[in-house]
Amino acid sequence: VQLQASGGGLVQAGGSLRLSCAASGRTFSRETMGWFRQAPGKEREFVAAIWRSGGNTYYADSVKGRFTISRDNAKNAVYLQMNTLKPEDTAVYYCAAGYGIILTSVRTVRAYDYWGQGTLVTVSS
């Protein structure tokens, strides 16, 4: 699976952005998809994940209620709608894919096998 993230940019606090991740590979519909982010000087952290069927979603507490993850298996794409953005959301955002991820590992970086190149989101105050 190859992943290409896009949609980042500069936005004012309170604004919205929608990130997209295009995936190649015939196994996309069987992969759990996740979004992670990494701010300067910090470790990569979990943001959101969606089960392969799209029925179950998971969020970091810091983004719950503001971000929504979704997927379109027909288009081999996963999205992250980000609303009410805050300066602390500033980071490089990465999409990731993993096969056979168990529920207790869905928030961990090492559970994912494939990573996109990242897209920068900057939120100004």
Side-chain angles (χ1 to χ4, degrees), residues 2-3 16 35 37 68 76 92 99 109:
Q2 292 184 322
L3 305 173
S16 298
W35 285 98
R37 66 187 181 186
T68 302
N76 278 15
V92 176
Y99 181 72
V109 170

Side-chain angles (χ1 to χ4, degrees), residues 47-99:
V47 175
I50 186 165
W51 217 243
R52 56 186 181 271
S53 65
N56 292 327
T57 56
Y58 309 90
Y59 296 94
D61 289 343
S62 58
V63 307
K64 199 172 296 184
R66 299 188 297 122
F67 291 11
T68 302
I69 188 171
S70 61
R71 69 188 295 163
D72 186 337
N73 286 344
K75 295 182 178 180
N76 278 15
V78 63
Y79 308 99
L80 186 68
Q81 178 66 43
M82 306 186 294
N83 298 329
T84 318
L85 282 160
K86 305 176 181 179
E88 50 264 43
D89 294 319
T90 295
V92 176
Y93 283 70
Y94 298 90
C95 60
Y99 181 72

Side-chain angles (χ1 to χ4, degrees), residues 11-69:
V11 63
Q12 288 189 331
S16 298
L17 279 176
R18 188 191 194 212
L19 305 184
S20 299
C21 179
S24 63
R26 293 179 292 178
T27 63
F28 174 79
S29 62
R30 292 184 282 164
E31 306 276 348
T32 295
M33 300 299 297
W35 285 98
F36 289 75
R37 66 187 181 186
Q38 188 166 16
K42 295 188 176 181
E43 292 187 352
R44 193 167 298 188
E45 65 174 6
F46 171 76
V47 175
I50 186 165
W51 217 243
R52 56 186 181 271
S53 65
N56 292 327
T57 56
Y58 309 90
Y59 296 94
D61 289 343
S62 58
V63 307
K64 199 172 296 184
R66 299 188 297 122
F67 291 11
T68 302
I69 188 171

